[in-house]
Amino acid sequence: MPDFYGFRALTGVDAGALSAIDGAGLVDKDMAFGSVDGIHYVYMLDDDSGLTSDGFRVVEPDSNAGTKRWILCHSSDGLLPCGDNSTISDDLVAWNKFRVLLNHSVETGTTYSNDIVSTYPLVYTRGNAYQGGVLSPNGDIHFIPDYAVVGQKISAFGVVSTYSLVYTMANAAYYGGVLSPNGDIHFVPLYATVGQKISSSGVVSTYSLVYTLDWGYYGGVLSPNGDTHFVPRQATVGQKVSASGVVSTYSLVYTGGSVYYGGVLAPNGDIHFVPASATVGQKISSSGVVSTYSLVYTANSAYSGGVLAPNGDIHFIPASATVGQKVSSSGVVSTYSLTYTYSFGTSSGGVLAPNGNIYFVPCSATVGQKISALPAKPFSLGVCCSAFLNKL
């Protein structure tokens, strides 16, 4: 007969942590029940799992683990972190509450096995028009202008329209943006020698960078602890801005020319850099460990930006790639067919809408393209607008 255990933390040195239960006395189908930061969890032991622990969906005993792993069976409703009250921090409490909401959709899966790819008309097109997109709280999807002289957006009802811009530039100083915990949108420096951001009230300001380079960074991602990471294109070091505004750099495993264009935060807290001309994938764990992994398809300027689907798949957005490529929540890399491709710069970035559609942001494309992921449980508008997902 299985035994029942209680816990008050998932991992750590605390004797009440789930991971602190000695694996020597555990048997298959043992159950564990606990409450952490107001969220209730149910885990079942799999005695021959051997899966890599992520401290949440899979928890490994600290001692005598062998192949035994605690597998998450259920979690109560999580919470959306507030962007303006400093709850997104190094203790990762806000991130773990948000992961509960992500996993409600990830675990539910999709209604059909194949995605539906289709196109939609645009109001304004030109070469290198936009680079990335951001979902606004009212449901509008905004394309971030590069060479475009007008802004363009898709309403929550699918209506495409344009609007006037205050600042335009013939040569791209910035490429993509990240919504920070306090509501500032950071522009990611491409040629720029200073950082630039727009506050939630519309105030534009600049700040100093530690490292600058022509073609330095493409896109960015908000990490679980609130750091805004710039994704390296030709930069030889990573660069990030903390939630308190401190700019710093860190070492990378793989560097080169035009290697990555944008990044995506996975449900387990890893930041995946999106491969452009890179021959390997590269990611940063929530604890700051940088590592690489194999890809199925590589090409020059293959992908630009990526999106997390409600089932946990990370989709790379095709630039010059002739096939789509995605990384599943379990780390499996695979490819799929596209409806529309272009010789260079088809799309640049994508945005996930609350209905589960992933819209590719048109760069040189003359039609829009989208993926209907058909999630059994789509992310809510709040999840899609979260700073963790809402970026290039």
Side-chain angles (χ1 to χ4, degrees), residues 25-44:
L26 298 176
V27 299
D28 197 40
K29 301 298 191 294
D30 278 352
M31 302 294 295
F33 303 83
S35 180
V36 182
D37 298 319
I39 301 174
H40 305 293
Y41 300 93
V42 178
Y43 284 82
M44 178 182 290

Side-chain angles (χ1 to χ4, degrees), residues 272-299:
H272 287 254
F273 295 161
V274 176
S277 299
T279 56
V280 296
Q282 188 166 193
K283 62 182 180 179
I284 305 174
S285 73
S286 58
S287 60
V289 177
V290 183
S291 61
T292 59
Y293 58 93
S294 298
L295 300 169
V296 176
Y297 174 93
T298 61

Side-chain angles (χ1 to χ4, degrees), residues 118-131 143 152 317-320 340-349 360-370:
S118 59
T119 60
Y120 60 95
L122 298 169
V123 176
Y124 174 94
T125 63
R126 63 157 295 171
N128 297 314
Y130 301 96
Q131 307 286 6
F143 301 154
Q152 189 164 193
I317 304 300
S320 300
Y340 176 91
T341 60
Y342 188 75
S343 59
F344 182 78
T346 309
S347 308
S348 180
F360 296 175
V361 177
C363 182
S364 298
T366 56
V367 295
Q369 188 166 194
K370 66 181 179 181

Side-chain angles (χ1 to χ4, degrees), residues 1 8 52 62 76 152 163 209 223 231 239 243 316 326 329 345 350:
M1 291 291 292
R8 56 177 180 268
T52 301
D62 295 331
S76 62
Q152 189 164 193
Y163 55 93
L209 299 169
S223 72
V231 175
Q239 188 164 194
F316 300 150
K326 61 184 179 180
S329 59

Side-chain angles (χ1 to χ4, degrees), residues 66-243:
T67 58
K68 296 176 181 178
R69 302 289 186 271
W70 290 107
I71 308 298
L72 179 64
C73 297
H74 172 75
S75 55
S76 62
D77 287 341
L79 295 173
L80 285 170
C82 296
D84 57 357
N85 66 357
S86 301
T87 55
I88 300 177
S89 60
D90 288 339
D91 62 16
L92 304 187
V93 171
W95 164 246
N96 283 324
K97 290 182 177 180
F98 182 66
R99 287 178 70 185
V100 172
L101 299 182
L102 292 181
N103 278 280
H104 284 334
S105 291
V106 171
E107 298 292 345
T108 305
T110 58
T111 53
Y112 293 93
S113 58
N114 294 322
D115 299 324
I116 298 175
V117 184
S118 59
T119 60
Y120 60 95
L122 298 169
V123 176
Y124 174 94
T125 63
R126 63 157 295 171
N128 297 314
Y130 301 96
Q131 307 286 6
V134 173
L135 177 65
S136 69
N138 70 351
D140 288 346
I141 294 173
H142 288 259
F143 301 154
I144 297 175
D146 180 14
Y147 285 82
V149 295
V150 294
Q152 189 164 193
K153 65 181 181 179
I154 305 172
S155 76
F157 304 101
V159 177
V160 182
S161 61
T162 59
Y163 55 93
S164 299
L165 298 170
V166 175
Y167 175 87
T168 61
M169 189 175 182
N171 192 26
Y174 304 94
Y175 191 111
V178 181
L179 181 64
S180 70
N182 69 350
D184 289 343
I185 295 175
H186 286 261
F187 296 160
V188 177
L190 181 57
Y191 273 88
T193 57
V194 296
Q196 186 169 196
K197 62 184 180 180
I198 302 176
S199 72
S200 57
S201 60
V203 177
V204 180
S205 60
T206 60
Y207 57 93
S208 298
L209 299 169
V210 175
Y211 175 94
T212 61
L213 178 76
D214 288 353
W215 302 105
Y217 299 93
Y218 258 41
V221 182
L222 182 69
S223 72
N225 70 348
D227 290 344
T228 295
H229 285 256
F230 301 150
V231 175
R233 184 187 190 272
Q234 293 185 185
T236 57
V237 295
Q239 188 164 194
K240 62 183 180 179
V241 184
S242 72

